[in-house]
Amino acid sequence: MRIRTIEDYHEAYKDSIEDPKTFWAAIAQEFRWKKPWTKVLDWSFDDYNVKWFRNGKLNITENCLDRHAENKPNHPALIWEPNDPEDEPEIITYKVLLDRVCRFANVLKKHGVTKGDRVCIYMPMIPELAVAVLACARIGAIHSVIFGGFSAQSISDRINDSQCELVVTTDGAVRGAKNIPMKETVDDALVACPSVKKVIVATHTRTPVSMIKGRDYWWESEVKHVEAECPAEEMDSEDPLFILYTSGSTGKPKGVVHTCGGYMVFTSYTFENVFQYHPGDVFFCTADVGWITGHSYLVYGPLLSGAITVMFEGIPTYPDAGRLWDIVDRHKVNILYTAPTAIRSLMGFGLEYLEGKDLSSLKVLGSVGEPINEEAWHWYNDHIGKGKCPIVDTWWQTETGGIMISPLAGITKTKPSYATLPLPGVQLELVDENGSTIEGNGVNGNLCITYPWPSIIRTTWGDHERCKSTYFSTYPGKYFTGDGCMRDEDGYYRITGRVDDVLNVSGHRIGTAEVENAINSHTGVVESAVVGYPHDVKGQGVHAFVICEEPQDEDSMMKRDILMTVSRIIGPIAKPDKIQIVSGLPKTRSGKIMRRILRKIAEGEYNNLGDTSTLLDPGVVDEIVKGAKEL
Ligand code: PRX
């Protein structure tokens, strides 16, 4: 299963295209199945339906935990680095992790959770989060992890969409110097969530919380009263493993569904090959488990491969901008996987934060979530990797489950800002606006995938039509990624960014329509339009153009209130960086907002707005340009 040379890669790629079923079956064979599959793959991209390893039975946690707990019980599985560097890190072995997962799985069972039930997890980055995720998988409950930066409203929308029965949370959280009231936010959310019967609260910050009799239970006391053993539920390869909500072009986030068998095979395969993980290496993924990167490359991928995975509770700038380098030094991290936004932010603090940090353990660096600009790439390469660590720029999506385009560390020749080549099993195609395939090299187009890979999105929870129309209808017969992409003269791929109304702010995916809905719900707002613009640190910033009911005496008050509204409705991560109050928006005669013009204005390209003569009121553009310059 391990690719070691570029020749191996080309051979594996060729095999994977010529005979994908044999290729993936050979890889799947290496896992522990309770019953073998009877057919490798059934699929159609026309009437979307994909099923891998049909009738195969397994439990992913046996593959993540039991296998390793049997072979190497005292080998570290998870290293937890607390927010406060003065606090002790925790090292959890495979045996202990299995034990903790089984106990918590029994707690879930005791509270009535059974196979197929949905469990919402809203927690900070502490070991209990990984335990809760795996405990759900142990008993076949479907986890829906919600990132800790989402508001009560966002939590309840997600809980209601998938009808979760139980919520796992903590009393509070700490991120840097900030205290975050987790349970209080959950309490606010649950006012509107009749499906939730139970809440399990792990003690973390000792923040005072309300505990409702018959509904709310303390994690610590619950785990004391259950067995330490819990048989792994037999799951069908195609049973859902989890739901993860992500933003799209519409106002409502969709629940991306991944299933047990294919997700297991693909995340482990890509983890080992992209990062060239060697047994004993310490792997540090800085992503939150609330996002797909945390699911696939902090929890599942590394544990499936018996790796040592580092989980960091805090933020890269606390107590200072040297924190990530302290962690690398302290835990002798060999592989670091982070986001360009973190690199750019740390770059801005200067090299003094690297002084005295021993980074010599590093062998491989990874980047994920957004395009990495050349300057950040070079800084990462020169100052963190000291020129000796290959950088893997990994392109993928919540919907793809795992890495799709990436160099293999030390094997594929890298090129700054290029994700380089597709992984084995990944069949890419660039298409033009009409859906025609663009052949050859030195071309640009929209990125599609033409053949299923094991961890492809199976459906959007509760709405299969939405899955079909979002991903498989723009270019019939193909999965459309929503990304623009260039294939250069060498056949290397470079992602140029989203071509739809999805923004990528600090590596977080945010739908413009969602932000607009939130702004429009503010009293006094008539209409708004949200676009992205290049931001030095965040990659993209959010620029909101807002029409108010009445002229504002004090713009700043209105803007502050709008920010608060967005924070309440979506969460602080979606707060616009710029709010511009305008008297009108550039619209066509049919009433469509010309976002192209707004994007240009937000980008500062005032002299390159294109044809504005077809607008209902061309004059409005001058006013908006004037206002934008004054922001
Ligand atoms: O636009 C691409 C960008 O992030 C989008 C997927 O976002 P999400 O589902 O939140 O998953 C992020 C983590 C996998 C993609 O459509 N993106 C992701 N990785 C890269 C990237 N853009 C450029 N280069 C990357 N390496």
Side-chain angles (χ1 to χ4, degrees):
M1 153 159 169
R2 178 57 74 75
I3 296 170
R4 295 196 187 280
T5 62
I6 194 73
E7 291 76 29
D8 287 353
Y9 162 75
H10 288 300
E11 195 182 318
Y13 192 78
K14 186 163 163 278
D15 291 349
S16 77
I17 303 301
E18 287 175 1
D19 188 355
K21 294 174 193 166
T22 306
F23 177 82
W24 287 114
I27 292 163
Q29 207 83 54
E30 297 182 20
F31 295 84
R32 188 176 282 186
W33 294 82
K34 288 174 183 283
K35 282 196 194 121
W37 57 87
T38 53
K39 194 171 177 202
V40 180
L41 172 66
D42 272 331
W43 73 288
S44 160
F45 277 1
D46 295 319
D47 183 19
Y48 183 56
N49 166 43
V50 164
K51 291 189 164 54
W52 280 93
F53 312 115
R54 294 224 67 175
N55 304 312
K57 307 287 178 198
L58 76 152
N59 187 291
I60 196 167
T61 68
E62 278 193 332
N63 287 278
C64 287
L65 302 172
D66 303 59
R67 298 195 283 174
H68 311 307
E70 286 159 23
N71 295 335
K72 45 178 188 183
N74 301 321
H75 189 275
L78 184 79
I79 298 179
W80 179 66
E81 169 74 16
N83 179 63
D84 184 343
E86 301 297 319
D87 291 345
E88 276 302 301
E90 197 179 334
I91 298 177
I92 303 173
T93 63
Y94 273 95
K95 166 88 184 61
V96 171
L97 187 58
L98 172 62
D99 212 77
R100 288 174 66 172
V101 167
C102 286
R103 274 187 191 276
F104 194 65
N106 283 329
V107 171
L108 293 175
K109 271 191 186 168
K110 183 185 141 200
H111 286 284
V113 179
T114 57
K115 181 173 172 174
D117 289 347
R118 275 78 58 210
V119 171
C120 165
I121 301 175
Y122 184 74
M123 297 177 92
M125 290 279 280
I126 57 174
E128 286 77 2
L129 167 54
V131 169
V133 161
L134 294 163
C136 288
R138 188 78 176 174
I139 62 170
I142 302 167
H143 55 78
S144 166
V145 183
I146 301 177
F147 174 61
F150 280 115
S151 67
Q153 172 80 50
S154 293
I155 299 171
S156 63
D157 288 348
R158 285 160 173 76
I159 287 178
N160 289 335
D161 185 74
S162 53
Q163 293 288 294
C164 295
E165 306 213 345
L166 185 143
V167 180
V168 190
T169 189
T170 59
D171 46 1
V174 277
R175 271 172 69 78
K178 258 197 224 143
N179 281 304
I180 301 158
M182 305 295 279
K183 172 65 162 64
E184 193 183 310
T185 306
V186 167
D187 285 338
D188 289 347
L190 293 190
V191 170
C193 299
S195 63
V196 174
K197 305 287 181 291
K198 300 283 173 76
V199 180
I200 314 274
V201 186
T203 308
H204 183 52
T205 52
R206 306 205 169 268
T207 312
V209 293
S210 75
M211 292 292 282
I212 307 293
K213 192 185 288 172
R215 189 193 75 177
D216 300 351
Y217 298 83
W218 292 111
W219 175 301
E220 297 72 27
S221 49
E222 290 301 299
V223 292
K224 276 191 203 135
H225 305 298
V226 291
E227 302 269 315
E229 268 162 38
C230 175
E233 186 75 30
E234 184 172 292
M235 304 296 287
D236 188 88
S237 172
E238 282 300 331
D239 280 335
L241 173 64
F242 65 83
I243 305 170
L244 185 57
Y245 285 86
T246 190
S247 297
S249 303
T250 66
K252 194 168 162 265
K254 43 189 178 274
V256 172
V257 175
H258 284 290
T259 56
C260 299
Y263 181 80
M264 169 178 79
V265 171
F266 197 74
T267 51
S268 177
Y269 177 76
T270 51
F271 171 74
E272 289 179 20
N273 283 297
V274 168
F275 300 105
Q276 289 291 302
Y277 184 86
H278 288 272
D281 284 348
V282 176
F283 181 82
F284 178 20
C285 166
T286 65
D288 195 286
V289 176
W291 307 109
I292 192 68
T293 308
H295 279 61
S296 301
Y297 299 106
L298 197 157
V299 181
Y300 286 111
L303 296 178
L304 283 163
S305 300
I308 307 172
T309 183
V310 177
M311 176 191 257
F312 172 39
E313 183 185 17
I315 54 171
T317 49
Y318 180 84
D320 64 37
R323 186 66 193 276
L324 291 188
W325 323 129
D326 279 328
I327 298 173
V328 169
D329 192 345
R330 185 179 205 179
H331 299 296
K332 301 289 164 250
V333 170
N334 303 113
I335 306 170
L336 173 68
Y337 191 31
T338 192
T341 186
I343 299 166
R344 286 190 299 263
S345 144
L346 297 178
M347 201 166 89
F349 284 90
L351 293 176
E352 64 196 87
Y353 290 98
L354 284 162
E355 277 166 24
K357 314 284 154 105
D358 179 4
L359 305 182
S360 62
S361 56
L362 287 173
K363 297 195 293 193
V364 173
L365 301 176
S367 170
V368 60
E370 46 172 328
I372 178 164
N373 49 311
E374 293 209 20
E375 195 192 354
W377 194 98
H378 284 294
W379 191 85
Y380 201 27
N381 185 58
D382 298 348
H383 298 292
I384 307 306
K386 317 281 185 204
K388 67 174 179 61
C389 302
I391 297 179
V392 291
D393 176 357
T394 63
W395 175 86
W396 56 296
Q397 310 178 297
T398 305
E399 294 86 344
T400 70
I403 298 169
M404 302 292 281
I405 312 180
S406 172
L408 306 181
I411 293 173
T412 316
K413 195 168 167 297
T414 59
K415 219 186 246 190
S417 78
Y418 281 77
T420 74
L421 299 171
L423 261 55
V426 176
Q427 304 194 24
L428 304 176
E429 201 172 285
L430 298 186
V431 299
D432 65 19
E433 248 84 283
N434 307 316
S436 307
T437 307
I438 304 173
E439 309 276 1
N441 288 343
V443 291
N444 271 291
N446 289 341
L447 182 64
C448 292
I449 306 170
T450 55
Y451 194 88
W453 61 99
S455 64
I456 186 173
I457 176 177
R458 295 305 195 274
T459 190
T460 44
W461 183 262
D463 192 352
H464 193 58
E465 282 308 314
R466 186 165 179 206
C467 175
K468 285 190 202 174
S469 67
T470 308
Y471 305 105
F472 299 93
S473 72
T474 318
Y475 303 112
K478 300 176 185 30
Y479 168 85
F480 176 42
T481 62
D483 279 320
C485 182
M486 167 190 159
R487 184 168 53 224
D488 77 355
E489 294 301 341
D490 298 326
Y492 268 32
Y493 290 85
R494 176 188 191 167
I495 306 300
T496 48
R498 303 286 305 194
V499 295
D500 54 9
D501 291 325
V502 173
L503 304 181
N504 196 325
V505 181
S506 300
H508 299 158
R509 207 161 130 174
I510 295 173
T512 52
E514 261 175 87
V515 184
E516 287 166 8
N517 286 349
I519 295 175
N520 296 349
S521 70
H522 180 64
T523 175
V525 168
V526 178
E527 195 179 7
S528 64
V530 164
V531 298
Y533 67 94
H535 187 288
D536 284 348
V537 173
K538 297 176 164 189
Q540 269 190 310
V542 179
H543 188 140
F545 299 88
V546 182
I547 306 176
C548 298
E549 262 170 25
E550 290 165 14
Q552 298 298 307
D553 293 339
E554 248 197 286
D555 270 11
S556 63
M557 277 297 285
M558 182 72 176
K559 289 181 185 178
R560 274 188 3 217
D561 292 347
I562 290 175
L563 287 178
M564 188 50 96
T565 308
V566 174
S567 217
R568 279 267 171 229
I569 293 188
I570 307 177
I573 52 169
K575 283 202 286 198
D577 299 276
K578 292 182 184 173
I579 297 179
Q580 183 180 346
I581 311 251
V582 294
S583 67
L585 290 166
K587 287 190 179 170
T588 59
R589 292 205 176 89
S590 60
K592 195 169 159 277
I593 298 174
M594 296 282 283
R595 289 168 183 282
R596 182 178 52 77
I597 295 175
L598 293 175
R599 268 195 291 268
K600 290 278 181 210
I601 296 175
E603 286 165 9
E605 294 208 24
Y606 308 124
N607 299 323
N608 186 19
L609 300 179
D611 183 12
T612 54
S613 62
T614 55
L615 292 178
L616 196 58
D617 173 13
V620 79
V621 173
D622 295 335
E623 180 217 300
I624 298 176
V625 168
K626 187 164 169 281
K629 286 181 179 165
E630 285 164 7
L631 270 189

